[in-house]
Amino acid sequence: MREHYRRFSHCDRFKIDHKFSFLLLTLITAYLSVIGSPVAAKVESLQVSNQNSTVQIPNLLQQGKLLYDVGQFAQAVKVLQQAITNYRRQGDELGQAVALSNLALAYQQLGRLNEAQQAITDSFNWFKKSPTAQNLGVLAQLLDIQGSIQLELGQTEQALKTWQRAEATYKQLSDQKGMIRSRINQVQAWQVLGFYRRGLTILTELRQQLKSQPYSLMLAVELRSLGDALQLAGDLEQSRQILQQSLEIAQKLHSSVDISAALFSLGNTAQARQDKHRAIAFYQQAAAIAPIPLIKVQAQINQLSLLVNTGQVTAALTLLPQIQTQLTNLPPSQSAIYARIHLAQSLMKLRSSKGNQIPTPQAIAQICATALQHARSLADRRAESFALGTLGSVYEQTQQWSIAQNLTQQALAVIQSINAPDIAYRWHWQLGRLLKRQGDIQGAIAAYDVAVSELQSIRNDLVAVHRDVQFSFKESVEPVYRESVELLLQADPAQPTAQNLDKARQRIEALQLAELDDFFREACLNAKPVLLDKVVDRDNPTTAIIYPIILPQQLQVIVKIPNQPLRHYAINKSQAEIEKILKQIREDILEPDRTEEVQSLSQQVYNWLIKPIDSNLANSGVDTLVFVLDGALRNIPIAALYDGQQYLVEKYAVALSLGLQLIPPKPLAEIKLNILAAGLVKPPSKFQKQFPPLPEIKSEFNLISQTVGSTTQLLDQDFNSKNLEGKVNASNFNVLHLATHGQFSSSAENTFILAADGPINVTQFDTLLRRRDEIRPEALEMLVLSACQTAAGDNRAALGLAGASIRAGARSTLASLWHISDKSTAILIGEFYRELAKTKVTKAQALRRAQLTLLKNYPNYSRPGYWAPYVLVGNWL
């Protein structure tokens, strides 16, 4: 399980959870049968026997199931081992196979994956002896279990093949429900492998299949599993709709267990949508009607976590006694252990509040100690490591560094016995913090290096696991990179070593990549990067790369000048001071009477980023600056930085990069431009209050046609999603120019471009362009978004813009940070294409010249608010 990445969920990752699917022999057939639902197994009274049994034996499988259902996995293992012995004495090979498969499930829950693998292998060995058609049902379910174990072992491709084989077997049996379960499992495997779109396609097909099924509790469960899967895939509206259907079926069939489970999942989806008020309401409803104490307390802990995160301290403290009482009454189980750990983590956050009722560190430590005791009694190594590490976090919070370090090292020692990098990275990160606090900087750097390495190793998996909104990434991933960079740059106060500088800049690039993965919920960039150093040293020696890194108390800047070693300087400004100035620039630059104030503030930023290397840049013949921006710096137009006399764009061409060139750079000047241009003058009626008309689009298109010549156009009603897809697939173009409103935000769900038939979401847009890549070998050289904007104040919005370009397979994107007068846009875009087509300069230089045209030749558009927001992201050549 991945509790540290997520709120409580009934389904681990988003597969049908075999861990709650226990297998029992039936009276009338030699087939295995799944008892109960994937979410909450229902115990049924079954007598274990089959036609080969001549002696009645205790129903050990049923006992094992009961123990398994309440999370007592170690006890279940003992009972199942006894069952295997009894079946062996009777010569009942089918009974052995069933017990072994269930034993594999129990071992899997305990994190004893090698033993789980051996048990399922032994079970398969029985099947090989009796590969009859009658035993196909046995085979199908053994394959289900084997796939889940393979996935846990990191053997994702094998797991996918195993589940595909299971689906084929279920198809032979005409078992529709089995096929659905196997396909949902395959979605998980595709997601871990990084194939988001393929997984989403399967989910869409499954939804259609489920529509034709009659109402039943199994349908409610399957819909709930599908809704959870869609939530994890990032399709939150579809998730909400599916879960609502599951809830309605459960209500009609009066199943309180399934009603509470559906409400619980709806709470998780509402939380993912950042609708925290509604999420709290769902959790309250789920807890109020839950007939199972564990589900009740899990819902209440999720509710308390949200109350803490939203600052509702009084409400959280009111709820706390109920949770504590219920936890005390729960028997030891894996779920109860994680309930305590999750509660302890929320209470540690609550410690930052004031009040007499806030739990003491001793009280929180006792919750962790109880979890640790139960984990050891159940022989659950993952849970034991989690409890030890969380207890270490409590001591870290109370600044008892040596005790915290000892507990953290114990947590790491425990986790070494199982394959769990998803846990290990947290404790290496924690160890790094503790070593830093105790002055062991080199030891801390080494610990952070391991933590980052562990994160990289589970990159795909990180995207697929269930996450808390603004918790998993902002609190459990991003700080690892930032704190690591801070250590590397401050390890030697005089001057960081060349090795540390290079490592720091690679870390900040890796952070941006991780942010993109988080944005799209997919490990989306897997191509081998081309080092930017090689590009500027060999192919484009007039370009310098600047990496500004915002740390809590300093702005650190790393600079790469062609054919020179990395250099570095630090500005003693806090993050709060920097962000205040950047926010003011973004607000003032749009006001016509604030030009002097903008210049004054922009000069401060110029002094931070450029002034220390002014002479070096001039002496090196640099004419282009490529910025790998961090945080709030992405919200301001770098071209408008001011040195007291000139704007930066008057001296240099400016481009932005993620620091990762995924396609070998190639100058656009060497290629003939062939443009597909789509534009929308008047927004659809639903969006006319939000977005104004763009009457100058026709003029913009005319200027492009006059300059470039080879242009295919879709205008107004012709610019709809269907026509765009058709032209994208049929036209031989290398530039896609979209003159329409659009928005980029930190949420992929709220990032879109507007067509005549409504918004095209960024993931839909990505899918549309990827289809083109499948049928056409040539890359999309450039994506131009001439009327889009990024969400103001959103530090990840510009990153999403860059990601949309890269995900679309485009070498670069030209877009705007905010919407500008469409008349000035038409002039600038026309000049940009004229420079590209006629003078054969780089894209960055073409943009610079177009911006200077507005600045110098059009007095009405000379303010930075008109020309500065255009940014070139990606390949600047």
Side-chain angles (χ1 to χ4, degrees):
M1 296 179 74
R2 305 276 204 263
E3 275 71 12
H4 59 297
Y5 285 129
R6 58 183 169 101
R7 68 189 78 85
F8 282 113
S9 171
H10 291 293
C11 191
D12 183 26
R13 296 181 175 168
F14 59 79
K15 57 180 179 288
I16 289 288
D17 199 339
H18 297 290
K19 297 171 184 176
F20 292 93
S21 301
F22 211 76
L23 312 179
L24 295 174
L25 289 169
T26 67
L27 287 167
I28 58 175
T29 177
Y31 286 4
L32 297 175
S33 62
V34 179
I35 304 301
S37 74
V39 174
K42 299 175 183 178
V43 177
E44 298 181 15
S45 298
L46 295 180
Q47 186 177 17
V48 179
S49 66
N50 69 21
Q51 52 267 52
N52 299 323
S53 298
T54 57
V55 180
Q56 189 71 31
I57 65 170
N59 192 351
L60 293 175
L61 280 184
Q62 187 68 33
Q63 291 178 36
K65 173 180 168 51
L66 290 169
L67 291 167
Y68 185 96
D69 286 347
V70 297
Q72 297 183 27
F73 304 115
Q75 292 90 328
V77 164
K78 293 177 181 178
V79 170
L80 290 167
Q81 287 172 334
Q82 183 60 48
I84 292 167
T85 300
N86 288 352
Y87 283 127
R88 186 179 297 119
R89 287 172 182 166
Q90 289 190 27
D92 187 345
E93 292 184 337
L94 175 59
Q96 288 183 64
V98 173
L100 281 164
S101 63
N102 288 329
L103 181 62
L105 288 172
Y107 277 143
Q108 185 181 4
Q109 280 287 45
L110 291 170
R112 296 160 65 176
L113 297 180
N114 290 332
E115 291 163 286
Q117 181 77 295
Q118 186 59 54
I120 199 65
T121 299
D122 290 345
S123 188
F124 268 108
N125 287 338
W126 165 82
F127 181 81
K128 290 176 182 177
K129 297 177 184 178
S130 306
T132 63
Q134 183 186 18
N135 292 327
L136 279 179
V138 180
L139 173 63
Q141 295 184 63
L142 291 181
L143 289 167
D144 277 343
I145 297 169
Q146 185 183 46
S148 69
I149 294 170
Q150 287 170 330
L151 193 70
E152 289 285 347
L153 285 167
Q155 301 168 1
T156 310
E157 292 183 0
Q158 294 94 316
L160 177 61
K161 292 177 182 176
T162 298
W163 281 325
Q164 288 171 336
R165 186 181 169 197
E167 180 189 359
T169 307
Y170 282 123
K171 187 174 182 180
Q172 282 184 264
L173 295 166
S174 300
D175 185 343
Q176 185 71 17
K177 295 184 187 304
M179 291 170 62
I180 289 172
R181 286 196 299 271
S182 294
R183 299 205 78 194
I184 293 179
N185 283 336
Q186 290 170 46
V187 171
Q188 166 66 6
W190 283 121
Q191 182 75 13
V192 173
L193 289 169
F195 293 93
Y196 166 83
R197 285 167 300 280
R198 190 168 302 189
L200 204 55
T201 299
I202 294 173
L203 290 176
T204 303
E205 294 171 354
L206 286 171
R207 184 181 182 185
Q208 296 301 316
Q209 292 175 27
L210 290 173
K211 279 183 179 180
S212 62
Q213 292 192 17
Y215 276 13
S216 67
L217 289 181
M218 181 55 74
L219 177 59
V221 170
E222 289 168 345
L223 286 170
R224 188 164 69 248
S225 296
L226 181 58
D228 289 340
L230 286 164
Q231 187 229 319
L232 293 169
D235 196 339
L236 301 181
E237 177 56 26
Q238 292 293 320
S239 170
R240 185 196 65 77
Q241 292 178 16
I242 292 288
L243 291 172
Q244 188 64 40
Q245 291 176 33
S246 175
L247 174 62
E248 291 169 2
I249 293 171
Q251 288 171 333
K252 288 182 179 179
L253 298 176
H254 307 290
S255 171
S256 57
V257 170
D258 293 293
I259 292 171
S260 62
L263 288 166
F264 192 94
S265 291
L266 280 164
N268 290 343
T269 293
Q271 190 171 349
R273 291 169 66 95
Q274 302 187 42
D275 189 348
K276 296 179 181 179
H277 178 76
R278 185 166 294 178
I280 289 172
F282 279 130
Y283 291 141
Q284 286 175 328
Q285 294 176 59
I289 66 169
I292 299 173
L294 180 60
I295 296 179
K296 182 182 184 73
V297 76
Q298 287 178 333
Q300 289 178 327
I301 289 174
N302 276 13
Q303 182 187 342
L304 181 136
S305 178
L306 268 180
L307 292 171
V308 170
N309 289 339
T310 53
Q312 300 179 61
V313 176
T314 302
L317 292 173
T318 301
L319 184 60
L320 180 58
Q322 300 175 48
I323 294 173
Q324 291 172 320
T325 299
Q326 291 175 82
L327 276 177
T328 302
N329 297 327
L330 286 178
S333 70
Q334 187 187 67
S335 297
I337 291 168
Y338 286 115
R340 286 182 167 85
I341 292 170
H342 193 181
L343 176 62
Q345 291 171 338
S346 294
L347 294 181
M348 280 191 281
K349 290 184 185 179
L350 197 57
R351 288 289 304 159
S352 61
S353 306
K354 296 180 180 179
N356 296 328
Q357 295 177 295
I358 304 296
T360 64
Q362 292 80 3
I364 301 173
Q366 185 55 55
I367 294 171
C368 296
T370 302
L372 176 59
Q373 178 186 352
H374 289 177
R376 284 173 171 166
S377 71
L378 298 176
D380 188 330
R381 303 292 277 172
R382 285 183 67 94
E384 181 183 356
S385 179
F386 238 113
L388 279 165
T390 306
L391 185 56
S393 300
V394 178
Y395 280 97
E396 179 187 16
Q397 193 177 66
T398 59
Q399 301 183 17
Q400 298 181 66
W401 312 125
S402 60
I403 299 174
Q405 181 179 337
N406 181 267
L407 288 164
T408 305
Q409 287 171 329
Q410 287 185 54
L412 281 169
V414 169
I415 212 64
Q416 284 175 358
S417 63
I418 59 177
N419 179 32
D422 55 311
I423 302 178
Y425 99 84
R426 285 181 67 93
W427 307 145
H428 283 293
W429 172 31
Q430 187 162 292
L431 180 61
R433 298 196 305 267
L434 293 167
L435 291 171
K436 179 186 176 185
R437 286 286 190 175
Q438 297 173 86
D440 184 356
I441 301 302
Q442 292 307 314
I445 288 175
Y448 271 96
D449 284 350
V450 177
V452 170
S453 177
E454 296 279 13
L455 272 176
Q456 299 288 75
S457 74
I458 57 172
R459 177 183 156 207
N460 287 359
D461 201 28
L462 266 178
V463 178
V465 295
H466 200 119
R467 69 175 189 177
D468 261 329
V469 174
Q470 300 304 314
F471 170 73
S472 170
F473 193 86
K474 294 297 292 182
E475 296 187 19
S476 294
V477 177
E478 182 176 349
V480 183
Y481 289 95
R482 289 201 179 279
E483 292 167 17
S484 171
V485 168
E486 186 174 13
L487 263 177
L488 289 166
L489 295 179
Q490 297 176 348
D492 185 349
Q495 175 64 37
T497 65
Q499 181 182 7
N500 280 355
L501 283 178
D502 188 47
K503 190 186 290 186
R505 128 183 116 144
Q506 287 182 37
R507 291 274 159 87
I508 214 68
E509 290 176 355
L511 170 59
Q512 295 208 22
L513 180 59
E515 285 185 284
L516 277 178
D517 290 346
D518 185 62
F519 180 88
F520 285 106
R521 294 202 176 185
E522 177 184 6
C524 55
L525 307 176
N526 289 314
K528 185 177 180 180
V530 176
L531 292 179
L532 287 182
D533 286 10
K534 292 182 178 179
V535 176
V536 300
D537 285 343
R538 183 186 59 199
D539 302 323
N540 190 229
T542 58
T543 297
I545 309 167
I546 301 175
Y547 300 80
I549 303 167
I550 301 175
L551 299 176
Q553 300 304 322
Q554 278 188 326
L555 174 65
Q556 298 272 357
V557 185
I558 301 173
V559 180
K560 170 60 183 175
I561 294 176
N563 299 303
Q564 294 183 22
L566 294 176
R567 63 184 66 209
H568 157 266
Y569 44 94
I571 308 297
N572 290 318
K573 290 287 182 183
S574 71
Q575 181 176 351
E577 292 178 279
I578 292 168
E579 290 181 348
K580 181 180 179 181
I581 289 174
L582 298 177
K583 181 174 183 287
Q584 197 62 51
I585 291 174
R586 177 67 186 253
E587 292 175 358
D588 288 353
I589 202 168
L590 298 175
E591 300 297 330
D593 59 347
R594 307 286 291 178
T595 300
E596 290 185 8
E597 289 84 350
V598 170
Q599 288 178 343
S600 176
L601 292 170
S602 296
Q603 189 170 354
Q604 292 186 53
V605 182
Y606 181 96
N607 291 342
W608 300 340
L609 302 184
I610 307 299
K611 189 174 181 180
I613 53 169
D614 249 337
S615 59
N616 303 101
L617 294 173
N619 294 335
S620 301
V622 168
D623 61 17
T624 302
L625 301 180
V626 175
F627 290 84
V628 181
L629 295 178
D630 183 33
L633 282 165
R634 300 169 186 150
N635 286 334
I636 67 165
I638 297 295
L641 298 187
Y642 194 67
D643 69 358
Q645 296 181 334
Q646 290 181 302
Y647 291 108
L648 188 63
V649 74
E650 295 182 76
K651 300 194 290 185
Y652 301 101
V654 175
L656 307 183
S657 174
L658 298 181
L660 295 160
Q661 290 294 318
L662 301 176
I663 307 173
K666 187 176 183 180
L668 187 58
E670 299 175 4
I671 303 169
K672 181 181 179 181
L673 297 180
N674 192 347
I675 300 173
L676 171 60
L680 192 64
V681 173
K682 189 175 181 181
S685 56
K686 290 183 180 179
F687 295 88
Q688 288 177 7
K689 290 184 179 180
Q690 184 179 356
F691 298 112
L694 300 170
E696 293 294 329
I697 283 179
K698 293 180 181 179
S699 171
E700 182 177 327
F701 280 16
N702 287 336
L703 287 171
I704 295 172
S705 296
Q706 292 169 16
T707 302
V708 178
S710 182
T711 304
T712 303
Q713 296 185 9
L714 292 173
L715 193 60
D716 292 335
Q717 294 305 310
D718 289 335
F719 174 27
N720 55 57
S721 53
K722 183 178 180 180
N723 285 350
L724 181 63
E725 181 176 5
K727 290 294 183 183
V728 162
N729 291 329
S731 302
N732 184 26
F733 66 93
N734 51 27
V735 176
L736 177 59
H737 183 106
L738 300 176
T740 180
H741 287 291
Q743 178 171 295
F744 289 88
S745 78
S746 60
S747 164
E749 189 180 27
N750 296 320
T751 297
F752 61 88
I753 58 170
L754 205 56
D757 54 345
I760 300 175
N761 182 269
V762 67
T763 51
Q764 297 172 292
F765 182 64
D766 169 46
T767 302
L768 182 149
L769 290 178
R770 286 298 181 97
R771 291 193 190 118
R772 172 187 183 272
D773 288 348
E774 293 172 2
I775 59 176
R776 295 188 179 278
E778 65 273 11
L780 180 63
E781 294 295 333
M782 190 163 54
L783 172 66
V784 179
L785 304 165
S786 70
C788 295
Q789 61 190 20
T790 59
D794 187 336
N795 292 347
R796 292 212 306 173
L799 191 73
L801 185 155
S805 170
I806 292 172
R807 284 276 301 264
R811 295 182 191 270
S812 55
T813 293
L814 176 63
S816 54
L817 295 175
W818 57 80
H819 176 58
I820 316 99
S821 156
D822 66 322
K823 189 164 187 176
S824 64
T825 295
I827 296 170
L828 184 140
I829 292 296
E831 284 296 310
F832 173 71
Y833 281 116
R834 189 184 69 79
E835 292 289 343
L836 276 181
K838 306 300 182 186
T839 62
K840 302 295 183 180
V841 295
T842 67
K843 286 177 275 190
Q845 288 291 346
L847 175 60
R848 173 178 180 257
R849 294 183 183 188
Q851 290 173 315
L852 288 176
T853 297
L854 284 185
L855 173 63
K856 304 287 188 182
N857 301 339
Y858 291 85
N860 290 341
Y861 303 130
S862 62
R863 286 192 298 106
Y866 286 105
W867 52 262
Y870 296 95
V871 293
L872 181 69
V873 184
N875 174 27
W876 65 92
L877 298 181

